[in-house]
Amino acid sequence: MEHIRAINDLVVRFANVNGTGSASANNMFAKAIFRMGIPVSPKNIFPSNIQGLPTWYEVRISEKGYLGRREGVDLMVCVNPQSMARDVESVKPGGYFVYDNTKKLHSEFIREDIHYIGIPMTAITMKHYSDPRQRQLFKNVIYVGALSALLDIEMDVLKGLIEGQFQRKQKLIAPNFKALELGESYVKEHFQYPLDIRLERRDNVGDQILIDGNTAVALGAVYGGATVAAWYPITPSTSIVGAFEKYANRLRKDPETGKSRYAIVQAEDELAAMGMVIGATWNGARAFTTTSGPGVSLMSEFLGLAYFAEIPAVLVNVQRGGPSTGMPTRTQQPDLISSAYASHGDTRHVLLFPSTPKECFDFTAQAFDLADRLQTPIILMSDLDLGMNDHVSPPFEWDDGRQYDLGKVLSAEDLENIEQFGRYLDVDGDGIPYRTIPGTHPTKGSFFTRGTSKDEYARYTENGAAYVRNVDRLLKKWETAKKHVPAPELYQQENSNDYGLIFFGTTTYAALEAMEVLGEKGIKLDALRLRAFPFNETVREFIADHKQVFVVEQNRDAQLRSILINELDLYPRQLIPILNYDGQPITADTIEQLILSHYPQEKKHDDIHQTQVPAS
Amino acid sequence: MTYIKPRFRHPELPKNKIGFAKADYEGAISTLCGGCGHDSISAAIVQACYELSIEPHKLAKLSGIGCSSKTPTYFLSNSHGFNAVHGRMPSIATGANMANRDLIYLGVSGDGDSASIGMGQFVHAIRRNVNMVYIVMNNGCYGLTKGQNSATADIGSLSKGGAVNHYPAIDLVGLALELGATFVGRSFSGDKTQLVPLIKAAMSHPGFALLDVVSPCVTFNNKPESTKSYDYVRAHLEATATIDFVPEKEEITVNYPKGKSAHVELHDGSIIHLHKLAPNWNPTDRYSAVNRLLEAKMKGEVLTGLLYIDPNSQDMHELENTIDQPLNTLREKELCPGSEALEKINASFR
Ligand SMILES: Cc1ncc(C[n+]2csc(CCOP(=O)(O)OP(=O)(O)O)c2C)c(N)n1
Ligand code: SF4
Ligand SMILES: [Mg+2]
């Protein structure tokens, strides 16, 4: 049998049944490893179902800090008979299969090349707990206890987590401790422990935090000054407004009256949600909505209005998989084109691409400034993987001296001092006009906001020349936007290789790992991470500097590649698509294999010889 | 094109309490067809705002798309306006209202805008009791797209193009009563004496105030047999009561015959006087309003006037417990919890 030996470099997968309380035990497992100073990356793989169907929780543990998904399970904890055949199959040769052996394992699940560790979880709970719900819940804690012995997870860390979790329900601490110990002692009595794959405390996470992107977005909205949230529930965006409510409720109540300094409206649909955002921002508040692909389709009409009438709006699109209802609980990056050009006519929207929770926080707060500054919708492009899974992230920071940039808004005093107010006049030459908020001045500054074409003074017109002036100014504003949006990140001082790599969002984790692995094989690439659309000059230069550029993204149609070709007027062959769209987060291995399959054979060879010689 | 009206101000023009002349509440010259009912409603809005001494910039006018939705250009040019997209004005108004509870919101819509494409938003704005006046200029057809039947068209009626309408008319007033609307009225564009006080009362109501105003389309739906035509409405007009609106602390000068009148006091001290009351009807009793409405429908009458008012109406802000200060005036100091709180939040994720 193959033998795996690994310290702090493994993938552990849990197979559970939806709705059985496994989530909190599985989170405890990941968090304990994080607290042992070892980077972890947990992923929920769940069905669109409330109770009964199989769900998985996969934790990649990597002391090197590789946090993308990796194929191949080193240790599987299977407490779901429904999925057992698949689960046995997914274990790497030499890996471990932990299961409930209260009932004997059927022979069809026996593989010669993996190790089996049977723990009578059901029997133990039957013996020690009487309440049926408790029996179900503690079964989960028992397997965590067993893993603590098998993998060398520090028991004190686990107990500390339980104490933290049940601060307000002290009664539950003792029975949880007991469940941990039951699992631990069973392993200690029956098996050799720890296994050859195991953990060791490190100091590799520093002051980082473990948090999901949706919570980070919610906090960004609280800090960024959002007062109106209008939304319609849709996976995987739903938890954002929940978290916004939780923190706003804690941090945004008027101390004297207890009244709210925010309003949350669960709209009747996404059209209305977007309408409410536009109404609120038109009236000078900061407002946002959250949704996923289907919601963006519905919001398109309003996005066009906000673009054309120049009204700020913040939209968070937590992307999921596929067209139509698609794969609601799977991840992809499939809404690039539909978001960038949402709505009819010549429209285009600013997109932000966060790749960590820290960026979710920063970009959300910044999105409100950008929306006000540019007077246009700003779409934050998150995805299910980033939004719903915990990620190791730098801690969030806030400069207390920071002021909100409310953009070009005229006060009553300003209005007194100007000759004639023209809502759509390009006074500063940057394409961004001045606006007024209703109620500002008794006789000056009122105007009619409309989705029809208008002249510089907001008067309805179908005059062709006036229309052209207006939409050309919008293009000028688009140019201005390039200076305001987050710049791309480069991973080298200078572009020095023939081939480049472009990626964005959650693809980053796997892309960086793939780069390192390829580098070790002598294939060196320059890399650029996009953080926003429109693209600035750095992106154009990066592509121009390379013979060919691999564009990594998680959709079928290579949407980012199309946008790059169109916007930067590129020769299509220059951009090679590297795609993954099965709904699972892309892996480094996939990227590596796909790049290798496109990389010229001699080149591969050449590069190996050239490693000492700097490329020209 | 918008035609800007020349503004000649006679110094002698009467002024209201806050020093504005009626002309200060007017807008650009209308481009609607001559005789269109919508223009009369615009005039009634101007009159009501003038009489109520509303500061024009403290009112926001919003509309959808349609001939009716164009009218905000033709009144209150000192007020901010928002011509939304077709049928979506209620959501814009809801968001605007959430951002600033201190303005008066006047929504204008059409029967196509509200009863078809915008039905969902219309219904939900009522349900949330958004504090606004919502006027439907109801002509039973799509004026702007040249006379197709709308969802409020009479069953059996012919569109301008000759299509027969096989489907029953949606009665927005009945629907609103059913939905729990807190202020429901119907009127006729040709009845300014009734419409002006109704608009004034609606503006003082803290919650969603629906005014369904029959407003004939002279170009596409003014055949005498249409229940939305001038002739029909004039012949079949039946009012719940005649109405006077008396703003807060104003002296009451009219004397009403005893026993035949009712008074509804609003939250701000204003009073709605209703006299010559219809039998078996009480303006604060939803049940009696529904009954009276059905009765009128059976008889082919167009029942107008104030149909129902809930004097205890609580608007969305009260229901949501938002602070009294408009949300759009809050800044970093009130909104941003600061770095210390953030450090604690970070710690909770370690
Ligand atoms: C999404 C969309 N669909 C269709 C239209 C075309 N359209 C403009 S106005 C209108 C009907 C308006 O009818 P109504 O609201 O009754 O207003 P009226 O003109 O009768 O006053 C239609 C269908 C549009 N502007 N937008
Ligand atoms: S078409 Fe009808 S609704 Fe439109 S302006 Fe003319 S009369 Fe009025
Ligand atoms: Mg109509």
Coordinates of all heavy atoms in Angstrom, one line a residue, chain A residues 301, chain B residues 36 38 65-70 85-88 109-115 117 137-145 148 150 217, ligand 1:
Chain A
E301 N -32.6 46.6 -16.1 CA -33.3 47.8 -16.6 C -32.9 49.0 -15.7 O -32.6 50.1 -16.2 CB -34.8 47.6 -16.5 CG -35.6 48.7 -17.1 CD -37.1 48.6 -16.8 OE1 -37.4 48.0 -15.7 OE2 -37.9 49.0 -17.6
Chain B
C36 N -56.8 66.6 -22.5 CA -56.4 65.4 -21.8 C -56.7 65.6 -20.3 O -56.3 66.7 -19.7 CB -54.9 65.2 -22.0 SG -54.3 63.8 -21.0
H38 N -55.3 64.4 -17.8 CA -54.1 64.5 -17.0 C -53.8 66.0 -16.7 O -53.3 66.3 -15.6 CB -52.9 63.9 -17.7 CG -53.1 62.4 -18.0 ND1 -54.1 61.7 -17.6 CD2 -52.3 61.6 -18.8 CE1 -54.0 60.4 -18.0 NE2 -52.9 60.4 -18.8
I65 N -43.6 55.8 -16.5 CA -43.6 56.1 -17.9 C -45.0 56.1 -18.5 O -45.7 55.2 -18.2 CB -42.6 55.2 -18.7 CG1 -41.2 55.2 -18.3 CG2 -42.7 55.5 -20.2 CD1 -40.4 56.5 -18.6
G66 N -45.3 57.1 -19.3 CA -46.7 57.2 -19.9 C -47.0 58.6 -20.0 O -46.2 59.5 -19.5
C67 N -48.1 58.9 -20.7 CA -48.5 60.4 -20.8 C -48.7 60.9 -19.4 O -48.2 62.0 -19.0 CB -49.8 60.5 -21.5 SG -49.7 60.0 -23.2
S68 N -49.3 60.1 -18.5 CA -49.6 60.5 -17.1 C -48.2 60.8 -16.4 O -48.1 61.7 -15.7 CB -50.3 59.4 -16.4 OG -49.9 58.1 -16.9
S69 N -47.3 59.9 -16.6 CA -46.0 60.0 -15.9 C -45.2 61.2 -16.4 O -44.2 61.6 -15.8 CB -45.2 58.7 -16.1 OG -45.9 57.7 -15.3
K70 N -45.6 61.8 -17.6 CA -44.9 63.0 -18.0 C -45.3 64.2 -17.3 O -44.6 65.2 -17.3 CB -45.3 63.2 -19.5 CG -44.6 62.4 -20.5 CD -45.0 62.8 -21.9 CE -44.3 62.1 -23.0 NZ -44.6 62.7 -24.3
V85 N -38.4 54.3 -14.6 CA -38.8 53.5 -15.7 C -40.2 52.9 -15.5 O -40.8 53.1 -14.5 CB -37.7 52.4 -16.0 CG1 -36.5 53.0 -16.6 CG2 -37.4 51.6 -14.7
H86 N -40.7 52.3 -16.6 CA -42.1 52.0 -16.6 C -42.6 51.1 -15.5 O -42.1 49.9 -15.4 CB -42.4 51.4 -18.0 CG -43.8 51.3 -18.4 ND1 -44.8 52.0 -17.8 CD2 -44.4 50.5 -19.4 CE1 -46.0 51.7 -18.4 NE2 -45.8 50.8 -19.3
G87 N -43.4 51.5 -14.7 CA -44.0 50.7 -13.6 C -43.1 50.6 -12.3 O -43.5 49.9 -11.4
R88 N -42.0 51.3 -12.3 CA -41.1 51.1 -11.2 C -40.9 52.3 -10.3 O -40.0 52.3 -9.5 CB -39.7 50.7 -11.8 CG -39.7 49.7 -12.9 CD -40.0 48.3 -12.5 NE -40.0 47.5 -13.6 CZ -40.9 46.5 -13.8 NH1 -41.8 46.2 -12.9 NH2 -40.9 45.7 -14.9
S109 N -48.7 58.2 -11.6 CA -48.6 57.0 -12.4 C -49.8 56.9 -13.4 O -50.8 57.7 -13.2 CB -48.5 55.8 -11.5 OG -48.5 54.6 -12.2
G110 N -49.8 55.9 -14.2 CA -51.0 55.7 -15.1 C -51.6 54.3 -14.8 O -51.0 53.6 -14.0
D111 N -52.6 54.0 -15.5 CA -53.3 52.7 -15.2 C -52.4 51.6 -15.8 O -52.3 50.5 -15.3 CB -54.7 52.7 -15.7 CG -54.8 53.3 -17.1 OD1 -54.2 54.4 -17.3 OD2 -55.5 52.7 -18.0
G112 N -51.7 51.9 -16.9 CA -50.8 50.9 -17.4 C -49.6 50.7 -16.5 O -49.2 49.6 -16.1
D113 N -49.1 51.8 -16.1 CA -47.9 51.9 -15.2 C -48.2 51.2 -13.9 O -47.3 50.5 -13.4 CB -47.6 53.4 -15.0 CG -46.1 53.6 -14.6 OD1 -45.3 53.2 -15.4 OD2 -45.9 54.2 -13.5
S114 N -49.4 51.3 -13.4 CA -49.6 50.7 -12.0 C -50.4 49.4 -12.1 O -50.0 48.5 -11.3 CB -50.5 51.7 -11.2 OG -49.7 52.8 -10.7
A115 N -51.3 49.3 -13.0 CA -52.1 48.1 -12.9 C -51.6 46.9 -13.8 O -52.1 45.8 -13.7 CB -53.6 48.4 -13.4
I117 N -47.7 46.6 -15.7 CA -46.2 46.4 -15.6 C -45.8 46.6 -14.1 O -44.9 45.9 -13.6 CB -45.4 47.2 -16.6 CG1 -44.0 46.7 -16.6 CG2 -45.5 48.7 -16.3 CD1 -43.2 47.2 -17.9
M137 N -53.5 58.4 -12.8 CA -54.3 59.1 -13.7 C -54.9 58.0 -14.7 O -54.2 57.5 -15.6 CB -53.4 60.1 -14.5 CG -52.8 61.1 -13.6 SD -51.8 62.3 -14.5 CE -51.5 63.5 -13.2
N138 N -56.1 57.6 -14.4 CA -56.7 56.4 -14.9 C -57.5 56.7 -16.1 O -58.6 57.2 -16.0 CB -57.5 55.7 -13.8 CG -57.9 54.3 -14.1 OD1 -57.8 53.9 -15.3 ND2 -58.3 53.6 -13.1
N139 N -57.1 56.3 -17.3 CA -57.8 56.5 -18.5 C -58.2 55.2 -19.2 O -58.7 55.2 -20.3 CB -57.1 57.4 -19.5 CG -55.7 56.9 -19.8 OD1 -55.4 55.8 -19.5 ND2 -54.8 57.8 -20.3
G140 N -58.0 54.1 -18.6 CA -58.4 52.8 -19.2 C -57.7 52.4 -20.4 O -58.1 51.5 -21.1
C141 N -56.6 53.1 -20.7 CA -55.9 52.7 -21.9 C -54.4 53.2 -21.8 O -54.0 53.9 -20.9 CB -56.5 53.4 -23.2 SG -56.2 55.2 -23.3
Y142 N -53.6 52.7 -22.7 CA -52.2 53.1 -22.8 C -52.2 54.3 -23.7 O -52.2 54.2 -24.9 CB -51.3 52.0 -23.4 CG -51.1 50.8 -22.5 CD1 -51.7 50.6 -21.3 CD2 -50.2 49.9 -22.9 CE1 -51.5 49.5 -20.5 CE2 -49.9 48.7 -22.2 CZ -50.6 48.6 -21.0 OH -50.3 47.5 -20.2
G143 N -52.1 55.5 -23.2 CA -52.1 56.7 -24.0 C -50.9 56.8 -24.9 O -50.9 56.8 -26.1
L144 N -49.8 56.7 -24.2 CA -48.5 57.0 -24.9 C -48.2 56.0 -26.0 O -47.5 56.4 -27.0 CB -47.3 57.1 -23.9 CG -46.0 57.7 -24.4 CD1 -46.2 59.1 -24.8 CD2 -45.0 57.6 -23.3
T145 N -48.6 54.8 -25.9 CA -48.3 53.8 -26.9 C -49.5 53.7 -27.9 O -49.6 52.7 -28.6 CB -47.9 52.5 -26.4 OG1 -48.8 52.1 -25.4 CG2 -46.5 52.5 -25.8
Q148 N -53.8 51.2 -26.7 CA -54.2 49.8 -26.4 C -55.0 49.8 -25.1 O -54.9 50.6 -24.3 CB -52.9 49.0 -26.2 CG -51.9 48.9 -27.4 CD -51.0 50.1 -27.5 OE1 -51.1 51.0 -26.7 NE2 -50.3 50.1 -28.6
S150 N -56.0 48.9 -21.5 CA -55.2 48.6 -20.2 C -55.9 47.7 -19.4 O -57.0 47.3 -19.7 CB -54.9 49.9 -19.5 OG -56.0 50.3 -18.7
C217 N -58.8 60.0 -21.7 CA -57.9 60.2 -22.8 C -58.7 60.6 -24.0 O -59.4 59.8 -24.5 CB -57.2 58.9 -23.1 SG -56.2 58.9 -24.6
Ligands
LIG1 C1 -40.3 48.3 -20.1 C2 -41.2 49.1 -21.0 N1 -42.1 48.5 -21.8 C3 -42.9 49.2 -22.6 C4 -42.8 50.6 -22.6 C5 -43.7 51.4 -23.5 N2 -44.7 52.1 -22.8 C6 -44.5 53.4 -22.6 S1 -45.9 54.1 -21.8 C7 -46.7 52.7 -21.9 C8 -48.1 52.6 -21.4 C9 -48.5 53.8 -20.5 O1 -49.8 53.6 -20.1 P1 -50.3 54.3 -18.8 O2 -49.5 54.1 -17.7 O3 -51.8 54.0 -18.7 O4 -50.1 55.9 -19.2 P2 -51.0 56.9 -20.1 O5 -50.1 57.1 -21.2 O6 -52.3 56.2 -20.5 O7 -51.2 58.0 -19.3 C10 -46.0 51.7 -22.5 C11 -46.5 50.3 -22.6 C12 -41.8 51.2 -21.8 N3 -41.6 52.5 -21.8 N4 -41.0 50.4 -21.0

